[in-house]
Amino acid sequence: MSSQAAPKPNQEDYKLKDTKPELGERWPHGGQRGGTGWIYSERATSTYDLVEQMFYLYVRVVKAKELPPNPVTGSVDPYVEVKVGNYKGKTRHFEKKANPEWKQVFAFSKEKIQSSVVEVFVRDKEMVARDDYIGKVEFDMHEVPTRVPPDSPLAPQWYRLEHLRGETRTRGEIMLAVWMGTQADEAFPEAWHSDSASVKGEGVYNIRSKVYVNPKLWYLRVNVIEAQDVEPMDKSQPPQVFVKGQVGQQVLKTKLCPTKTPNPMWNEDLVFVAAEPFEEQLVLTLENKASPGKDEVVAKISLPLNKFEVRLDHRPVHSRWYNVERFGFGVLEGDKRNEQKFSSRIHLRVCLEGAYHVLDESTMYISDTRPTARQLWKQPIGILEVGILSAQGLQPMKTNNGKGSTDAYCVAKYGQKWVRTRTITESFNPKWNEQYTWEVYDPCTVITFGVFDNSHLGSQQGAGSGAKIDSRIGKVRIRLSTLEMDRIYTNSYPLLVLRPNGLKKMGELQLAIRFTCLSMAHIIYLYGHPLLPKMHYLHPFTVNQLDSLRYQAMNIVAVRLGRAEPPLRKEVVEYMLDVDSHIWSMRRSKANFFRIVSLFSGVISISRWLGDVQKWKNPVTTILVHVLFFILICYPELILPTMFLYMFLIGIWNFRSRPRHPPHMDTKLSWAEAAHPDELDEEFDTFPTSKAQDVIRMRYDRLRSVAGRIQTVVGDIATQGERFHALLSWRDPRATSLFVFFCLIAAVTLYVTPFKVVASVAGIFWLRHPRFRSKMPSVPSNFFKRLPSCADGML
């Protein structure tokens, strides 16, 4: 009892919360719009109207000229240091350059500025002694101009460098631009940020916000038809050949030709996943089954993928014969001539499937349904705008200088576009306030958000840093079809992570979301059409093929995005794409079982209510049911209209209590709170397992117990179906004779008796008073349970 009572105080933490952020643009000095400084309108025109405005002091360091050389070295190695209060930002230094160009921007968060002066120092880099001072420029914070896009960028100006002691000799000049702006400024994404001042070296590139695009994925279908003149190494017996195809790391094989012949036939499809730009080739090898444990390569051919035809519909492409290189031949020039004259051939029909959508994510959480070929795309039906505002109450993910810290960034994935916010270092309440937009082609799709801890910052890298991974903080999924049109949703979503030691709330993610409709008629049209392109239904893949192709597509996406700068790492891509959703989990199995139970709860409630009516628990209700029954018997044409009217009224009634928030991760539905620790330990086990033998034996026995119950239920269902079949199969001759004779009497009786009379008698009999009932099972039930089934023949 105590284990069940423990989570109760935290139930509110697992729920979705409403937030009221101040969205939209706010002019720094009040302004005339709206009276309060905020832009209010029926439809804000700003591209940053779904985030809270954040003000930054920008300093653009362009270049310097005529810098004086060091009296000792005779040259100058200049760099610039921008100082605002306790924050310092430095440019890179140049060696022996009196007229350097930096073209670098520094951004200081206004809410953290504790100074009224901006100081820009130019220094000379010294290898041994302290860096020499060249000159500086000062700006009063109150005199800094404000720039609000879409104003043009502020033009930089030349400023004369001043010495600390007021020297009059020439110190050179520096070109600068200083202004107050927001995160909407064009300089924001590539700027150095005071929020991440502790990041050094290459880590700077890993903290910036970026937009990534999925590689364009194709299904490559290789129809292996036949081969001719296949010659094995051992020419004393004909070959028994199969074909092995390889694209990158993907390897597929045809079945072994059933007969030993130099002209084998297969007519099998091998389907691979390929990504543009095509870096791999299709490599086909003909292999001979020389002995039960030995396959010898007979011939080989490599084909570039960009030479194949693109198929846009179900019509087959043209087949071609290809000459293949005999394995081990062609070393000498004479052998090459002989190879061309007497070469083996293979007959192929190869195409790039442009009319399929390459699945790289689970169909349950699919975010894109468009086919690969762009010419088959429809027009977008809407725009999805997302403001990634902030996170609250994040847990420490690592130890830095003896204390817990978190360097959080957020990733969002929808369609072919991935976005990654900048990393806010050493903060448990990071504020990103970044806004992104996606085109929507189908409303029945899901956008996924994930929050991660950045473990690849320069200040934390060292020996063995390559083994570091970005830890998961939590995930949020939102189905677009659950959102109302043109409404801004501002909610705080719990970030929940399931670990071997149980469920843990890692914090909250605050989002602002708006789904704008471009064509309501197009949306209504889509609801009557299949989710995936038509080729998935005209020429479907098998379930095993889809699982394998999805795994390969996910691997390709992870590799390609991992090569970007900064990389979107493999562990991030796998978590966002739910790569491990198919792995066995006792917790998920329980959750799915109780989902089925809740699905049938309405049917069970109706059957209980009908049972109460039948037993006259409430006489008034039973009498009213009698009246309704006789009305429907007298006017059977009212049955269907009554049913549809009833469903219409239920829908109208439920409109009052409709959900007002998007769905979120439900801990009760997932059975995350009630999961046993050993079940969670099993769920997080590697595949194949890495546990001790006694633990594996215990889990195997438990799995056998669960599977035994499922086996019993499946057997009972099969038994009932076989009993129906036994009614007319004469397995039990006496039972079948009785049923056939009963069918003859029923046919004659129903032919001569009006249907309304039969229905009335049946209804009255079913609704008869309990005084006229027996507690024993009915005759039809007794007869049915006595029928034989195939269970008698089971071993």
Side-chain angles (χ1 to χ4, degrees):
M1 295 295 292
S2 60
S3 62
Q4 295 178 353
K8 285 187 178 178
N10 299 324
Q11 288 301 310
E12 289 298 319
D13 291 341
Y14 297 151
K15 293 183 178 179
L16 197 69
K17 298 176 183 176
D18 279 323
T19 58
K20 294 183 178 180
E22 295 179 313
L23 304 181
E25 285 193 350
R26 176 163 54 88
W27 297 95
H29 305 295
Q32 298 300 317
R33 296 205 182 192
T36 62
W38 291 87
I39 297 179
Y40 290 106
S41 65
E42 294 182 2
R43 174 72 178 177
T45 57
S46 169
T47 57
Y48 278 78
D49 62 333
L50 289 183
V51 292
E52 294 182 299
Q53 191 137 20
M54 300 172 68
F55 289 100
Y56 288 88
L57 172 70
Y58 289 96
V59 179
R60 183 189 299 276
V61 179
V62 183
K63 57 185 176 180
K65 66 179 180 180
E66 301 174 2
L67 297 179
N70 189 304
V72 177
T73 62
S75 62
V76 60
D77 303 332
Y79 71 91
V80 175
E81 179 183 90
V82 181
K83 182 180 178 183
V84 180
N86 294 326
Y87 293 100
K88 294 180 182 179
K90 296 180 181 179
T91 67
R92 64 190 182 280
H93 81 279
F94 290 100
E95 293 186 1
K96 300 178 181 180
K97 201 166 187 179
N99 301 299
E101 287 191 19
W102 292 283
K103 295 181 180 179
Q104 193 168 342
V105 180
F106 298 85
F108 299 86
S109 177
K110 184 183 178 183
E111 65 178 13
K112 296 181 181 179
I113 293 177
Q114 299 177 347
S115 174
S116 60
V117 177
V118 183
E119 297 174 291
V120 180
F121 298 93
V122 180
R123 299 185 186 276
D124 183 12
K125 184 77 172 177
E126 297 290 346
M127 299 300 296
V128 180
R130 185 178 177 183
D131 292 349
D132 192 18
Y133 173 84
I134 297 176
K136 75 167 185 175
V137 178
E138 283 190 2
F139 297 90
D140 188 340
M141 288 281 291
H142 301 292
E143 302 297 327
V144 172
T146 298
R147 176 187 174 248
V148 179
D151 291 352
S152 298
L154 197 68
Q157 299 180 28
W158 286 104
Y159 294 90
R160 186 176 298 279
L161 293 172
E162 301 173 359
H163 197 269
L164 284 172
R165 305 176 189 85
E167 287 185 8
T168 56
R169 69 187 180 92
T170 302
R171 311 297 300 182
E173 295 184 29
I174 186 170
M175 181 179 280
L176 300 170
V178 182
W179 73 95
M180 190 68 71
T182 68
Q183 75 266 41
D185 203 291
E186 294 87 349
F188 181 80
E190 299 297 327
W192 173 96
H193 290 275
S194 60
D195 296 337
S196 306
S198 61
V199 180
K200 307 295 182 185
E202 293 297 319
V204 172
Y205 298 105
N206 287 321
I207 65 171
R208 291 175 175 167
S209 58
K210 288 291 178 181
V211 175
Y212 305 83
V213 178
N214 249 19
K216 189 174 184 179
L217 300 177
W218 295 82
Y219 285 139
L220 174 68
R221 188 187 294 272
V222 182
N223 180 219
V224 184
I225 303 172
E226 59 181 327
Q228 286 183 355
D229 304 327
V230 178
E231 188 174 315
M233 301 294 183
D234 181 7
K235 300 180 181 180
S236 62
Q237 57 180 351
Q240 191 174 14
V241 185
F242 66 90
V243 176
K244 183 171 76 174
Q246 183 171 359
V247 176
Q249 301 297 319
Q250 307 169 65
V251 178
L252 296 174
K253 299 178 182 179
T254 65
K255 293 178 182 176
L256 191 67
C257 184
T259 58
K260 291 187 175 184
T261 172
N263 301 311
M265 295 190 66
W266 298 279
N267 198 24
E268 285 187 42
D269 281 351
L270 305 179
V271 184
F272 302 91
V273 180
E276 287 187 5
F278 299 125
E279 298 174 352
E280 299 91 4
Q281 289 192 329
L282 171 63
V283 180
L284 296 174
T285 55
L286 277 72
E287 301 190 15
N288 177 32
K289 194 77 172 177
S291 62
K294 181 183 178 183
D295 299 331
E296 62 179 22
V297 178
V298 178
K300 181 178 179 181
I301 184 173
S302 296
L303 300 169
L305 303 186
N306 54 6
K307 301 296 183 183
F308 297 132
E309 186 177 344
V310 174
R311 186 167 77 155
L312 300 179
D313 52 29
H314 63 281
R315 288 173 290 191
V317 298
H318 297 292
S319 62
R320 276 189 60 187
W321 284 96
Y322 294 89
N323 293 329
V324 295
E325 301 173 3
R326 294 186 182 180
F327 194 75
F329 289 89
V331 178
L332 301 176
E333 192 64 31
D335 292 334
K336 289 184 180 179
R337 287 197 298 269
N338 190 52
E339 176 70 17
Q340 294 298 322
K341 191 174 180 181
F342 304 103
S343 71
S344 302
R345 298 197 305 166
I346 188 169
H347 193 193
L348 303 175
R349 181 180 283 112
V350 189
C351 66
L352 292 165
E353 297 281 11
Y356 286 88
H357 170 71
V358 180
L359 294 165
D360 61 349
E361 53 196 345
S362 171
T363 51
M364 295 295 175
Y365 319 123
I366 196 167
S367 65
D368 189 17
T369 61
R370 290 172 291 172
T372 300
R374 183 176 289 271
Q375 54 264 48
L376 298 179
W377 290 4
K378 308 293 185 184
Q379 290 297 317
I381 54 96
I383 298 294
L384 176 65
E385 298 164 282
V386 175
I388 303 175
L389 304 180
S390 62
Q392 300 292 329
L394 298 183
Q395 300 295 314
M397 301 300 295
K398 56 179 175 284
T399 302
N400 191 12
N401 297 327
K403 62 179 182 179
S405 70
T406 299
D407 306 318
Y409 65 92
C410 181
V411 175
K413 197 266 181 189
Y414 183 76
Q416 297 183 0
K417 178 178 171 182
W418 300 65
V419 300
R420 167 180 171 158
T421 67
R422 69 190 188 283
T423 299
I424 306 297
T425 59
E426 299 180 2
S427 174
F428 299 133
N429 301 293
K431 290 185 178 180
W432 296 291
N433 284 303
E434 297 183 21
Q435 184 166 337
Y436 299 96
T437 303
W438 284 268
E439 289 182 333
V440 178
Y441 291 85
D442 195 304
C444 302
T445 45
V446 176
I447 182 171
T448 305
F449 301 89
V451 181
F452 302 88
D453 175 60
N454 196 332
S455 299
H456 297 83
L457 304 182
S459 60
Q460 296 164 354
Q461 286 186 335
S465 63
K468 292 182 179 179
I469 62 171
D470 289 356
S471 304
R472 308 169 178 178
I473 298 179
K475 184 193 297 183
V476 174
R477 294 192 203 99
I478 299 174
R479 185 170 291 274
L480 269 58
S481 59
T482 63
L483 304 178
E484 297 177 14
M485 297 293 184
D486 300 309
R487 174 186 166 188
I488 298 178
Y489 289 84
T490 54
N491 301 105
S492 181
Y493 297 82
L495 295 171
L496 306 175
V497 170
L498 201 59
R499 292 180 170 178
N501 57 357
L503 179 69
K504 187 173 182 181
K505 180 180 177 182
M506 306 300 292
E508 296 180 358
L509 177 64
Q510 295 186 3
L511 301 172
I513 299 176
R514 176 172 58 213
F515 178 30
T516 305
C517 172
L518 297 179
S519 172
M520 181 59 72
H522 196 175
I523 290 180
I524 295 172
Y525 168 83
L526 283 176
Y527 270 93
H529 285 72
L531 185 66
L532 295 171
K534 63 181 181 181
M535 282 295 287
H536 285 268
Y537 308 96
L538 296 178
H539 294 282
F541 296 115
T542 64
V543 174
N544 288 337
Q545 266 185 315
L546 279 177
D547 285 343
S548 174
L549 291 171
R550 176 185 170 241
Y551 179 75
Q552 299 298 341
M554 186 279 302
N555 275 338
I556 292 174
V557 171
V559 169
R560 291 292 179 93
L561 294 181
R563 283 157 43 180
E565 186 62 45
L568 201 58
R569 302 188 180 275
K570 183 178 181 182
E571 63 270 16
V572 174
V573 175
E574 289 182 348
Y575 184 55
M576 297 291 287
L577 295 180
D578 289 286
V579 67
D580 57 351
S581 60
H582 64 287
I583 300 296
W584 158 260
S585 163
M586 180 71 79
R587 174 189 62 84
R588 283 200 197 104
S589 301
K590 286 182 180 177
N592 288 331
F593 172 77
F594 284 101
R595 284 173 64 195
I596 294 175
V597 170
S598 64
L599 185 66
F600 289 103
S601 61
V603 177
I604 295 171
S605 299
I606 291 174
S607 64
R608 286 176 181 171
W609 179 78
L610 290 174
D612 292 342
V613 169
Q614 187 184 28
K615 295 174 182 177
W616 291 69
K617 288 286 183 69
N618 188 336
V620 176
T621 303
T622 305
I623 292 171
L624 290 174
V625 170
H626 275 81
V627 173
L628 177 62
F629 176 73
F630 284 118
I631 291 174
L632 295 178
I633 290 296
C634 296
Y635 303 99
E637 65 274 9
L638 295 180
I639 294 177
L640 288 178
T642 301
M643 289 175 57
F644 284 107
L645 179 62
Y646 181 64
M647 286 190 286
F648 168 78
L649 293 175
I650 290 176
I652 295 299
W653 179 261
N654 289 342
F655 179 78
R656 297 167 60 251
S657 58
R658 69 190 184 279
R660 302 296 296 173
H661 303 296
H664 65 289
M665 302 294 184
D666 192 328
T667 56
K668 288 186 176 180
L669 179 69
S670 307
W671 273 69
E673 301 172 71
H676 192 274
D678 184 66
E679 295 175 0
L680 293 176
D681 187 57
E682 179 185 24
E683 184 172 338
F684 286 93
D685 190 10
T686 56
F687 189 87
T689 182
S690 57
K691 298 296 180 182
Q693 189 172 357
D694 55 340
V695 175
I696 297 172
R697 183 183 293 111
M698 182 271 292
R699 290 176 178 171
Y700 176 64
D701 290 340
R702 181 176 63 194
L703 188 60
R704 289 175 64 193
S705 174
V706 173
R709 295 175 202 167
I710 297 172
Q711 171 184 286
T712 303
V713 172
V714 172
D716 289 343
I717 294 172
T719 296
Q720 306 309 319
E722 290 163 355
R723 283 173 175 168
F724 272 109
H725 187 260
L727 286 171
L728 296 172
S729 68
W730 296 91
R731 174 70 66 87
D732 183 342
R734 284 163 295 280
T736 303
S737 300
L738 288 170
F739 183 69
V740 169
F741 185 65
F742 168 77
C743 289
L744 177 62
I745 296 175
V748 174
T749 304
L750 293 174
Y751 182 76
V752 300
T753 309
F755 173 76
K756 293 182 180 180
V757 174
V758 175
S760 300
V761 171
I764 292 171
F765 178 78
W766 187 77
L767 291 169
R768 68 192 185 278
H769 197 274
R771 185 178 300 175
F772 304 106
R773 293 179 185 277
S774 171
K775 293 185 178 180
M776 300 300 291
S778 64
V779 173
S781 175
N782 294 331
F783 180 79
F784 183 76
K785 290 178 179 178
R786 288 176 176 274
L787 292 170
S789 70
C790 294
D792 306 333
M794 292 283 291
L795 289 174

